[in-house]
Amino acid sequence: MGVEERLHFGLKTLLSIYMRKERLKMRLFFIVSVVLILVLPAHASNVGFEQIKISNGNGPPLVGGIWYPTDAPATEHGFGTFKQIVAQGGPIHGQGLPLVVLSHGGGGSFESNYDTAWALAQAGFVTAAISHAGDTHDDQSQVLHPWLRTAQLHQLISYMLKDWPGHDRLNNDHIGAFGFSNGGFTVLVAAGGVPDFSKIGSYCQAHPTHDLCQSLRQVGVDPSLITAISADKWVGDKRIKALVVAAPAFGFTFSPGGLAAVHLPIQLWRAAKDGHQPDPYYEEAVRLALPRPPEYNVVTNAGHYDFLPPCEARLARINPVICVDPSNFDRAAFHTSFNADVVRFFLANLR
């Protein structure tokens, strides 16, 4: 074989090897694309919304709301003290959708963290929240019975998986929980935490001016008389696989043993200027007690209520306490990044 023939043969060989590699790359690209299509639920462009009522034994039904992905046209709707752009009653889009349940702060309602619920639904999650009976803005009759909250959250999950008309669209193994303030405490208990409420007495003896201690005395409760609550009162829910916890109430009541069973991935948030639940007795106590280090975020210049959405004018008039921000803090800008981080965390841990 001459030099020219050998050169021609070598080029053909190299070209053949190159083409085989390119075909292999294309096949791999096709396989990966198919896997992604099969694994990841398709995102809808809009958010659907519906209000629900859940049976609550002998008491009035639990009132709630569900946000979910939809392709239906969305328009602005007013709900209580806020407005949101949703397709009310629109059809659900997607299959095998992850579920996130939300637990609001003390004196709130299922609407309290609506912007976070909306952001999760826009990202392909179904989000559901209830107004915790006895700890809402119009009914504080059960605020000293926080174990009822975890039982109600358990009811919400069961309703979503069994009785909600769209339950067959959910992935029962991909369930997360989000909680703010009293709701943060609620989801920690739901994940297996067992608090020791007998610690409230010594806490208030050492910190009588803290909000919790003053609030208890205002309603005629002597903190020193609060005793430990039987462990069987706290209802855990092993269906929950990941938590986002913002400014959790009663953090100091969790000893390391009290959170020993909580091995879930957790995103924990603290407001640097939280005068309502001062550091280090709340988030820091939880962080140190968790057996698995959480993803921990401290929000510079933020106050306790900055984990709630920016207030519209009507709410600011009705309840200015939760609407006034510390100086040099932009709540609207924070919620853009906060909701994006919450979505990122649940995407990483529920899919």
Side-chain angles (χ1 to χ4, degrees):
M1 183 183 294
V3 174
E4 185 176 340
E5 290 175 314
R6 288 198 299 272
L7 180 60
H8 180 69
F9 177 78
L11 288 173
K12 283 183 65 177
T13 302
L14 287 173
L15 180 61
S16 175
I17 293 171
Y18 172 79
M19 291 302 295
R20 284 200 299 271
K21 286 183 176 179
E22 286 301 302
R23 286 194 293 270
L24 178 61
K25 284 164 63 178
M26 289 302 295
R27 284 197 293 270
L28 287 172
F29 176 78
F30 174 76
I31 291 169
V32 170
S33 299
V34 170
V35 169
L36 287 174
I37 290 170
L38 292 174
V39 170
L40 298 179
H43 285 188
S45 57
N46 292 324
V47 172
F49 176 79
E50 65 174 280
Q51 288 188 260
I52 56 171
K53 290 186 177 181
I54 302 174
S55 176
N56 188 31
N58 296 326
L62 299 174
V63 178
I66 303 172
W67 294 256
Y68 53 87
T70 184
D71 277 335
T75 55
E76 187 175 83
H77 294 267
F79 296 93
T81 57
F82 69 92
K83 296 177 182 178
Q84 60 176 347
I85 299 175
V86 292
Q88 191 166 4
I92 306 164
H93 179 85
Q95 196 71 40
L97 302 172
L99 169 67
V100 175
V101 292
L102 284 73
S103 181
H104 63 76
S109 71
F110 78 85
E111 308 155 343
S112 292
N113 299 98
Y114 74 89
D115 69 324
T116 302
W118 189 96
L120 284 163
Q122 215 275 331
F125 293 83
V126 172
T127 52
I130 51 167
S131 296
H132 285 290
D135 191 10
T136 59
H137 60 89
D138 57 353
D139 177 14
Q140 291 280 285
S141 61
Q142 302 297 322
V143 70
L144 296 179
H145 299 151
W147 56 87
L148 296 178
R149 282 174 147 265
T150 53
Q152 292 165 7
L153 197 70
H154 182 86
Q155 287 175 260
L156 174 61
I157 295 174
S158 294
Y159 170 82
M160 293 300 297
L161 298 184
K162 298 176 182 178
D163 300 322
W164 182 48
H167 70 90
D168 59 336
R169 301 295 190 99
L170 298 173
N171 186 324
N172 294 10
D173 295 322
H174 290 176
I175 301 173
F178 170 99
F180 162 65
S181 196
N182 283 13
F185 169 82
T186 301
V187 300
L188 284 168
V189 172
V194 179
D196 179 2
F197 268 36
S198 68
K199 291 186 175 185
I200 294 176
S202 58
Y203 173 80
C204 287
Q205 186 175 10
H207 309 286
T209 62
H210 284 190
D211 280 7
L212 169 65
C213 308
Q214 290 185 332
S215 297
L216 288 172
R217 290 192 176 93
Q218 284 172 3
V219 296
V221 175
D222 183 348
S224 66
L225 299 180
I226 297 176
T227 57
I229 296 166
S230 175
D232 60 10
K233 289 271 192 182
W234 307 107
V235 180
D237 198 317
K238 293 183 178 180
R239 295 172 294 184
I240 297 173
K241 301 298 191 293
L243 301 181
V244 173
V245 181
F250 304 113
F252 63 88
T253 66
F254 290 110
S255 64
L259 290 176
V262 182
H263 292 278
L264 307 180
I266 294 176
Q267 186 183 70
L268 180 63
W269 292 83
R270 175 168 76 85
K273 293 185 177 180
D274 192 335
H276 183 67
Q277 296 179 175
D279 189 55
Y281 306 104
Y282 291 84
E283 298 83 7
E284 182 67 3
V286 168
R287 185 180 74 84
L288 294 176
L290 287 168
R292 173 177 176 172
E295 179 185 308
Y296 188 43
N297 303 277
V298 180
V299 187
T300 305
N301 291 330
H304 181 75
Y305 296 107
D306 284 314
F307 291 109
L308 297 175
C311 295
E312 296 188 3
R314 181 167 176 262
L315 180 58
R317 290 193 302 270
I318 297 171
N319 196 345
V321 172
I322 68 172
C323 295
V324 177
D325 302 323
S327 59
N328 301 318
F329 187 79
D330 186 335
R331 193 187 298 202
F334 165 60
H335 269 254
T336 298
S337 60
F338 173 63
N339 290 334
D341 276 336
V342 171
V343 167
R344 173 193 54 78
F345 174 81
F346 279 130
L347 283 172
N349 289 286
L350 293 182
R351 285 186 173 177

